[in-house]
Amino acid sequence: MSTYRFQGRTAVITGGGGDIAGHIATRLHERGMNLVLADKNGRAARELQARLDNLRVHVFEGDLTQRDEMECLLREVEENFGVLDVLINNMAITKVDRFHERAPESIEEEIAINMVAPLVLSRLAVPYLLKGDDPRIITTTSLGGIQPLRETPIYAATKFGLRGAMLSFALDEDLHGIKVSCVLPTATDTYMLRQEALEGGSVLNFIDEPQSPSVVADQFVKHLEKPCLERYPKASDSWLTRLAMLLPNLMPRILPFFEKKGRRGMAKYVASLRRQGLLVEVDGKLYQRQRLYLDKPEMEQELEKS
């Protein structure tokens, strides 16, 4: 039985309109926690808020790569709920352009969102967290923070860096008094992964069928109930990844075998999305229905009329 008191505590979830965040929010809400869903995509966060309880769920719409927005978020948490108990760093993006072809601005943006923002927000949150009696920071990193991904090198770089920083922060708990943990998912069936599949992202994500976001969300609850440094939602993938990185010089020989299997898996995954009606084809290009309003707002309106 859990000794952690969920009832009445407050958690901030960044990337709060995303698929993993939705499952985390649902679990914490069911256990009586107050939630602040922070996301640049306010529409997605408000849709989640509507499915939960408006009285205990607050939406913060803002760009958390900006320090003044982070400070505004933390003030709103305090104004609405009094104390910040748990910070869940879950915001991230990925781009599939190869490193030698990417615009420098694109590299800077991905690093800012995936690594710099979570670290700065965590630092700014420290005095707010220390007002509570059991402060926690839980960060979504990735198995991409252990294994390089040739199609998404900046994503891998940010997850390597974020994982290293959070582990280092966690080891200093005796000085700062905050329990710091990471969750390292493998490929998860989310909007971001589906977009990777459409744009030709890392084929290693599709060696096996992607896991459900609900499986990942379970690890956040487990971290609160029984904190540790890291949790891996899919143990088999985590062991394989860590084993492979013991001999990194063999990767050029090993990768082609796994990538061949991954390409077949990616094709099957995209085909399954089409069968489920999750994709829309516009002028020969596939888009996700879930967030069509981001890329093709005029198309979304046409679909609503039909």
Side-chain angles (χ1 to χ4, degrees), residues 257-291:
F257 169 77
F258 289 107
E259 288 178 335
K260 184 177 180 180
K261 185 178 180 184
R263 278 189 286 274
R264 293 197 299 268
M266 180 187 282
K268 289 171 63 176
Y269 181 65
V270 173
S272 74
L273 296 178
R274 297 192 76 156
R275 286 195 301 272
Q276 295 172 65
L278 299 177
L279 304 180
V280 178
E281 187 170 335
V282 183
D283 299 327
K285 184 176 178 180
L286 291 172
Y287 295 88
Q288 294 190 60
R289 283 180 181 271
Q290 181 186 7
R291 303 282 171 82

Side-chain angles (χ1 to χ4, degrees), residues 160-211:
F160 266 76
L162 187 59
R163 178 184 180 232
M166 286 300 173
L167 281 171
S168 302
F169 186 24
L171 294 174
D172 233 3
E173 184 185 338
D174 288 346
L175 293 179
H176 55 67
I178 301 169
K179 289 183 174 64
V180 179
S181 308
C182 291
V183 176
L184 286 78
T186 184
T188 306
D189 184 27
T190 62
Y191 169 82
M192 192 167 80
L193 184 73
R194 293 191 287 273
Q195 199 63 30
E196 264 204 80
L198 296 180
E199 295 176 355
S202 176
V203 295
L204 296 180
N205 286 321
F206 305 96
I207 292 172
D208 294 318
E209 184 177 350
Q211 66 191 341

Side-chain angles (χ1 to χ4, degrees), residues 112-124:
I113 292 171
N114 292 4
M115 186 173 70
V116 177
L119 293 177
V120 175
L121 179 59
S122 296
R123 171 60 189 92
L124 293 175

Side-chain angles (χ1 to χ4, degrees), residues 139-155:
T139 300
T140 308
T141 54
S142 170
L143 286 190
I146 299 176
Q147 176 178 311
L149 304 168
R150 72 166 93 201
E151 297 90 347
T152 52
I154 306 306
Y155 180 82

